[in-house]
Amino acid sequence: MGELVLADVNIDDQKDRNVLIRDGRIAAITATRDELGASAGAEVIEAGHRALIPGIVEPHMHLDKALLDSRMPNLEGTLEGAIKVTGALKAGFTKEDIADRARQVVDMAIAHGTTMIRCHPDTDPIEGLLGVEVMLELREEYRGRIDLQIVAFPQEGILKAPGTLELMDRAMAEGADVVGGCTYNEPTVEECHRHIDAVFDLAEKYDAPVDMHCDFQTDTSDPRYAMVDHIAKVTIERGWQGRVTLGHATSLSSLSGEHRIATWDRIKQAGINIVPLPFTDMHLNAREDDGNVRRGIAPITLMWKTGVSVGLSSNNVRNAFTPFGNADLMDVALFAAQTGHMGSPDEFARLMHTITYQNARVLGISEGYGTAVGDRADLVILDAPAPVSALLDRAVRSYVIKNGRVVATTQRTTELVR
Ligand SMILES: [Zn+2]
């Protein structure tokens, strides 16, 4: 593999650095080009003082059911409506159909600077193992352009949809990486608890991380939507600290006072990552509100303050759960700021840190991730001098580099006519 030089990039506070990439890693970072020691034949990207960040990481995407928006809309607009509409559509899925839509979204994600996706294909008696099998194939097809982690995800519930657990077991045996869960789709608290036990049993069997959907409501008045405390307890009992991630957890936004403090403490003790999915969370939640409509997004700034590990992700792209999105996590980060009372440069910087370093931590890929010498050359050159201005400018990703190779470029030129 040839050498690649990134000339004049800004890396955090260091302006106009030169970066040498060799064998898929950052080999050197210097103030002048002469010091780099690049070979004469090295490919050079003139970055022109643009910002360099590590590759964007998506910890939660449903590639198998993306881009279904034109087939059947979710007229009710609720979570139940979305599950119903998508359940009807996925009965007709073929491998070709899933692969075709998934490829379109993965390509969009790459163009937007994503170098890693954890995808959650439905694994249940309706879709069977089709989604998992397509993701396993795409993981190979895209090797070197983007990494895929695969979650065996029981969207229809485990107890509610008999046969699901066996399919999840087969998915893990065939090469899925993570055991998924979906407590909110079980009808009783008792069944939610048994669902959680089944997920952890499978995780123990395959020594795998856990990533569950839970507490997808605006309040905790129904105990089926207040599972975080119980999951934290089970995580500690099973010795799975640091290996559990929870998506949505939107009812956390309704906690206050002592209950909130106790819940944050339990989440931290269990080392659980919380991943808000703002596009979906705000779109589907609070449909019952007649006035003062709630946001329905887990409280990101509050969790930052209390030291909870927070990720951020896109979830769905254009389907009954989320009828918009471009697989652009910077778009999601900006939306999180707009809907989450964030407005300071520090908060914008923290959002950019969340979609890179923090999401990498959620997926357990922090080692060798970053922009230092020795790190994997999974990198993005933003069309802006710094990450914060890129977020506000909606800057294009000028160059996306995976494993030391350019995998996407985007130019944006505007000429003002006076
Ligand atoms: Zn999801």
Side-chain angles (χ1 to χ4, degrees):
M1 195 189 288
E3 292 178 351
L4 180 64
V5 170
L6 314 180
D8 293 329
V9 288
N10 299 336
I11 308 172
D12 302 320
D13 295 334
Q14 298 185 302
K15 304 285 178 228
D16 301 336
R17 299 284 130 168
N18 300 282
V19 177
L20 174 64
I21 294 165
R22 189 188 286 141
D23 299 328
R25 301 248 161 202
I26 298 176
I29 301 176
T30 61
T32 70
R33 278 188 217 194
D34 296 343
E35 296 170 87
L36 265 188
S39 63
E43 182 188 344
V44 178
I45 292 173
E46 297 290 347
H49 324 294
R50 281 177 283 188
L52 181 74
I53 61 169
I56 292 169
V57 176
E58 276 274 12
H60 187 131
M61 277 191 118
H62 297 275
L63 299 172
D64 57 323
K65 49 193 186 191
L67 307 181
L68 293 172
D69 53 329
S70 60
R71 294 188 194 177
M72 198 189 293
N74 173 14
L75 297 176
E76 290 172 34
T78 60
L79 173 60
E80 295 71 29
I83 293 172
K84 208 173 1 169
V85 163
T86 311
L89 287 172
K90 72 185 179 183
F93 281 180
T94 63
K95 277 182 101 165
E96 294 69 28
D97 174 37
I98 295 172
D100 178 47
R101 289 181 289 99
R103 278 192 197 97
Q104 289 182 56
V105 177
V106 172
D107 289 347
M108 287 157 85
I110 292 172
H112 291 129
T114 312
T115 54
M116 170 84 173
I117 295 174
R118 176 180 279 184
C119 57
H120 296 241
D122 285 17
T123 308
D124 56 48
I126 308 173
E127 191 166 319
L129 290 176
L130 276 187
V132 170
E133 283 165 2
V134 170
M135 297 309 137
L136 287 165
E137 287 169 21
L138 292 183
R139 184 162 75 183
E140 292 311 309
E141 184 181 318
Y142 276 88
R143 197 173 286 282
R145 286 189 284 158
I146 191 166
D147 296 322
L148 293 185
Q149 271 187 5
I150 301 163
V151 183
F153 170 54
Q155 171 75 81
E156 308 294 328
I158 292 177
L159 291 111
K160 196 174 160 192
T164 296
L165 195 57
E166 292 70 21
L167 287 164
M168 291 169 70
D169 196 329
R170 277 175 56 198
M172 295 303 293
E174 286 182 21
D177 307 285
V178 180
V179 181
C182 189
T183 58
Y184 65 70
N185 212 358
E186 301 290 1
T188 66
V189 170
E190 155 72 21
E191 279 157 317
C192 289
H193 287 182
R194 284 169 57 202
H195 179 119
I196 292 162
D197 285 340
V199 167
F200 276 91
D201 286 346
L202 202 55
E204 281 182 2
K205 179 175 174 184
Y206 289 95
D207 191 22
V210 166
D211 194 334
M212 287 195 266
H213 292 53
C214 77
D215 296 1
F216 195 4
Q217 256 294 351
T218 36
D219 61 48
T220 54
S221 55
D222 181 335
R224 290 181 304 133
Y225 303 114
M227 280 295 135
V228 167
D229 282 312
H230 180 75
I231 294 168
K233 188 172 134 261
V234 175
T235 299
I236 293 167
E237 281 167 9
R238 301 272 190 146
W240 237 244
Q241 292 96 324
R243 303 182 75 188
V244 176
T245 298
L246 302 178
H248 300 296
T250 52
S251 61
L252 290 174
S253 62
S254 74
L255 299 180
S256 58
E258 291 299 310
H259 190 180
R260 185 160 76 197
I261 293 167
T263 297
W264 296 152
D265 280 347
R266 264 192 285 276
I267 292 172
K268 284 191 285 180
Q269 275 166 23
I272 287 176
N273 307 301
I274 303 290
V275 178
L277 306 159
F279 279 176
T280 313
D281 295 342
M282 195 161 173
H283 180 68
L284 292 181
N285 268 325
R287 293 283 175 158
E288 67 278 24
D289 290 350
D290 189 29
N292 289 329
V293 179
R294 288 166 288 180
R295 288 172 167 81
I297 301 171
I300 296 170
T301 50
L302 207 52
M303 291 192 285
W304 281 347
K305 268 187 207 136
T306 52
V308 170
S309 168
V310 182
L312 195 62
S313 204
S314 293
N315 197 28
N316 289 286
V317 176
R318 300 186 211 172
N319 65 11
F321 296 85
T322 320
F324 30 70
N326 296 318
D328 181 354
L329 201 37
M330 282 173 62
D331 202 12
V332 176
L334 188 58
F335 183 75
Q338 290 157 341
T339 54
H341 288 157
M342 295 178 218
S344 71
D346 282 352
E347 286 166 330
F348 297 145
R350 186 140 191 195
L351 283 167
M352 290 300 289
H353 190 269
T354 299
I355 63 172
T356 50
Y357 289 92
Q358 181 56 27
N359 280 352
R361 180 182 155 184
V362 169
L363 296 198
I365 58 160
S366 288
E367 212 184 306
Y369 175 90
T371 53
V373 172
D375 287 340
R376 288 187 296 278
D378 293 356
L379 301 165
V380 181
I381 297 176
L382 302 166
D383 188 20
V388 167
S389 52
L391 180 70
L392 299 176
D393 288 346
R394 298 173 182 267
V396 298
R397 304 335 103 84
S398 302
Y399 294 88
V400 183
I401 297 159
K402 174 69 188 166
N403 199 27
R405 249 170 21 107
V406 174
V407 291
T409 63
T410 303
Q411 284 86 40
R412 185 168 62 185
T413 52
T414 302
E415 274 189 47
L416 293 177
V417 180
R418 298 185 191 277

